[in-house]
Amino acid sequence: MEKLLEYNPILLALGATLFTWFLTAAGASMVFFFKSINKKILNSMLGFAAGVMIAASFWSLLKPAIEMAEAQGDIPWKPAVIGFLAGGAFLLLIDKILPHLHMGLSIDKAEGIPTTWQRSILLVLAITLHNIPEGLAVGVAFGALANNPDMGILTGAIALAMGIGLQNFPEGAAVSIPLRREGLSRWKAFNYGQLSGIVEPMAGVLGAYLVLTIEPLLPYALSFAAGAMIFVVVEELIPESQRGNETDLSTIGAMLGFATMMLLDVALG
């Protein structure tokens, strides 16, 4: 693993986010085996994804941001608070602009700029929206290696990529299988499902590049990614996972997701 420290952080970020995208595609491939997905299972999967993102926001992003700010002689809480709120505001802006539709809702409940796009496109864009901060988070985590090629930072970035990838698998299935139920062919549903994750490598490379270009930006960038992820969790994942009567399953899924990401980050980072 020490040899990885010799590679360009941007290339590492690209490799890591290609891995997370691959797991999205692997999850989307479940549409070739199943035509429908049980609502209880879907809610549990969405809850798990929410738990992973909440844990990653603190253990992999906010906590390191506070520690880095303190090491740089800055007020420890300042980059964390400013970056966190900026990340949420950025996602709020995209949420208001990008046309998208949450799962289980009729097309008249579509958000963003009014459009005549098909329902399937709007459903995919809803998932694509919260893959942006996930890719950005992984990219920023690997970009931190440029200024401090430490094994702890590397393993922490790897843990984050593993956690994001882990929750991308059920997320990919949660996109493609409902699309199949909407009437799309299996191949088209798979393509739409895996395309929802292709923004992660793009956001990952951008995040790593920005950190490499502007070194003092790192604590703010980590906090920005955390704020964007928490916005997605509260705005989309938790409400969607709580639809129906079996809310305990989505809550248990969230607890397991948090515990899994915390274990990965503490054990590896």
Side-chain angles (χ1 to χ4, degrees):
M1 187 178 286
E2 290 183 2
K3 287 189 175 181
L4 289 176
L5 293 172
E6 301 173 7
Y7 287 88
N8 187 308
I10 293 179
L11 291 178
L12 291 176
L14 176 61
T17 47
L18 284 174
F19 165 76
T20 61
W21 166 70
F22 170 78
L23 286 180
T24 301
S29 71
M30 292 298 101
V31 76
F32 294 113
F33 306 98
F34 306 98
K35 187 174 181 178
S36 62
I37 183 169
N38 185 281
K39 183 63 176 174
K40 295 178 181 179
I41 295 175
L42 177 61
N43 284 355
S44 299
M45 288 171 12
L46 291 172
F48 183 87
V52 168
M53 291 178 70
I54 292 171
S57 295
F58 176 72
W59 295 102
S60 298
L61 300 171
L62 285 174
K63 185 172 179 285
I66 293 170
E67 292 171 350
M68 289 176 187
E70 191 171 18
Q72 292 174 358
D74 201 350
I75 302 173
W77 55 263
K78 187 177 76 173
V81 171
I82 293 175
F84 184 83
L85 294 177
F90 174 72
L91 256 291
L92 177 62
L93 179 62
I94 293 182
D95 190 65
K96 297 297 183 184
I97 296 175
L98 183 70
H100 62 284
L101 177 67
H102 299 300
M103 287 183 288
L105 299 180
S106 58
I107 196 164
D108 61 301
K109 297 291 196 303
E111 300 178 19
I113 295 174
T115 179
T116 57
W117 291 349
Q118 294 180 357
R119 175 183 171 85
S120 57
I121 299 296
L122 295 174
L123 286 169
V124 171
L125 286 176
I127 302 296
T128 304
L129 180 64
H130 65 74
N131 280 332
I132 295 173
E134 293 175 10
L136 183 65
V138 174
V140 169
F142 278 95
L145 289 169
N147 305 317
N148 187 9
D150 180 75
M151 183 58 67
I153 292 178
L154 174 62
T155 53
I158 291 174
L160 177 61
M162 289 175 62
I164 295 296
L166 192 63
Q167 62 96 29
N168 274 359
F169 183 88
E171 203 170 74
V175 178
S176 63
I177 295 176
L179 287 177
R180 171 64 176 158
R181 197 170 59 243
E182 294 277 335
L184 274 68
S185 69
R186 280 188 168 90
W187 184 248
K188 186 170 286 188
F190 165 74
N191 273 328
Y192 280 147
Q194 62 87 20
L195 278 174
S196 69
I198 199 65
V199 293
E200 290 195 8
M202 301 177 191
V205 168
L206 176 62
Y209 174 77
L210 287 175
V211 170
L212 263 66
T213 306
I214 314 172
E215 180 180 343
L217 185 68
L218 181 54
Y220 293 91
L222 288 167
S223 305
F224 181 94
M229 288 174 68
I230 291 295
F231 180 92
V232 166
V233 169
V234 178
E235 169 76 7
E236 298 180 25
L237 288 180
I238 290 178
E240 288 174 13
S241 73
Q242 294 286 325
R243 289 201 183 106
N245 298 321
E246 301 293 337
T247 56
D248 284 349
L249 291 176
S250 54
T251 302
I252 292 169
M255 296 290 290
L256 291 174
F258 188 98
T260 300
M261 185 64 229
M262 182 171 59
L263 173 64
L264 282 173
D265 200 282
V266 175
L268 295 180

